[in-house]
């Protein structure tokens, strides 16, 4: 399969790849996010996820959900969560979340989790780290942009 970072399988704008993520050859799926700045607010829409991989030993999909963390260094300054979707490898969310946008140097951390059943919950499915300073288009108030991001393992 090769390294996930390639012309055939590019990362989304501002996406950060760290540590062992650089060596990942497994396709964990993709997440589509829409970002817009409105005055001192950052509006993020979790649109959908596609191509989620099942947990090893499982054939059926989990019931996935997405957690968003607005980070300033190592400090979490905001946290949001989508609803849990019906079991699917390609869930659709179309849920918007609003964070305060005051300082520069922020990172958006997006993690996808899945529940298989009552005893098999909180399975990590993939993550995305986005350096918001690198997204020049959202610094202009009102411009909405939608991108696909590669889900990666924990760094």
């Amino acid at each position: 399969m090769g390294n996930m970072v390639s012309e055939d399988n590019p990362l989304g704008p501002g996406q950060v790849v760290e540590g062992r993520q650089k060596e990942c050859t497994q396709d964990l799926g993709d997440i589509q996010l829409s970002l817009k700045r409105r005055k001192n607010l950052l509006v993020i829409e979790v649109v959908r996820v596609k191509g989620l991989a099942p947990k090893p030993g499982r054939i059926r999909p989990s019931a996935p959900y997405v957690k968003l963390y607005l980070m300033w260094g190592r400090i979490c300054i905001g946290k949001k969560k989508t609803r849990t979707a019906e079991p699917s490898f390609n869930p659709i969310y179309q849920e918007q979340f609003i964070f305060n946008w005051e300082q520069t140097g922020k990172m958006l951390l997006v993690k996808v989790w899945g529940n298989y059943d009552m005893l098999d919950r909180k399975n990590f499915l993939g993550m995305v780290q986005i350096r918001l300073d690198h997204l020049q288009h959202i610094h202009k108030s009102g411009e909405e942009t939608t991108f696909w991001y590669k889900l990666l393992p924990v760094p």
Side-chain angles (χ1 to χ4, degrees), residues 35-152:
L35 302 129
K36 177 169 62 171
R37 184 171 176 205
R38 199 169 44 202
K39 295 190 181 182
N40 288 3
L41 301 175
L42 175 63
V43 180
I44 301 167
E45 180 181 359
V46 177
V47 181
R48 60 187 168 153
V49 179
K50 68 176 181 181
L52 285 175
K55 177 179 171 180
R58 294 280 192 158
I59 297 171
R60 297 188 348 205
S62 68
Y65 58 94
V66 179
K67 286 190 172 183
L68 304 159
Y69 303 88
L70 187 61
M71 307 296 291
W72 191 35
R74 294 192 177 267
I75 301 168
C76 178
I77 56 176
K79 180 169 60 170
K80 309 282 183 180
K81 178 185 175 291
T82 67
R83 65 178 164 70
T84 301
E86 292 295 319
S88 174
F89 293 121
N90 303 296
I92 296 174
Y93 294 97
Q94 297 177 323
E95 292 184 50
Q96 282 193 351
F97 302 95
I98 298 174
F99 291 98
N100 286 328
W101 179 283
E102 297 165 1
Q103 305 113 320
T104 59
K106 291 184 181 168
M107 179 92 69
L108 179 65
L109 179 60
V110 180
K111 293 184 178 182
V112 181
W113 298 87
N115 297 331
Y116 285 94
D117 54 44
M118 292 302 288
L119 299 175
D120 195 3
R121 303 182 69 75
K122 291 187 178 180
N123 289 279
F124 177 79
L125 301 177
M127 68 178 287
V128 171
Q129 297 178 90
I130 303 168
R131 193 173 314 278
L132 296 175
D133 285 348
H134 291 174
L135 300 177
Q136 298 303 320
H137 51 275
I138 65 168
H139 291 289
K140 297 177 184 174
S141 185
E143 286 188 38
E144 182 175 343
T145 53
T146 304
F147 297 108
W148 283 100
Y149 291 90
K150 290 283 154 212
L151 292 173
L152 300 171

Side-chain angles (χ1 to χ4, degrees), residues 9-49:
N9 208 1
L11 299 173
Q15 187 168 0
V16 176
V17 179
E18 297 179 335
R20 67 187 183 112
Q21 291 177 330
K22 295 175 185 173
E23 311 304 320
C24 181
T25 58
Q26 181 183 6
D27 188 359
L28 300 178
D30 303 280
I31 187 166
Q32 188 179 37
L33 302 172
S34 178
L35 302 129
K36 177 169 62 171
R37 184 171 176 205
R38 199 169 44 202
K39 295 190 181 182
N40 288 3
L41 301 175
L42 175 63
V43 180
I44 301 167
E45 180 181 359
V46 177
V47 181
R48 60 187 168 153
V49 179

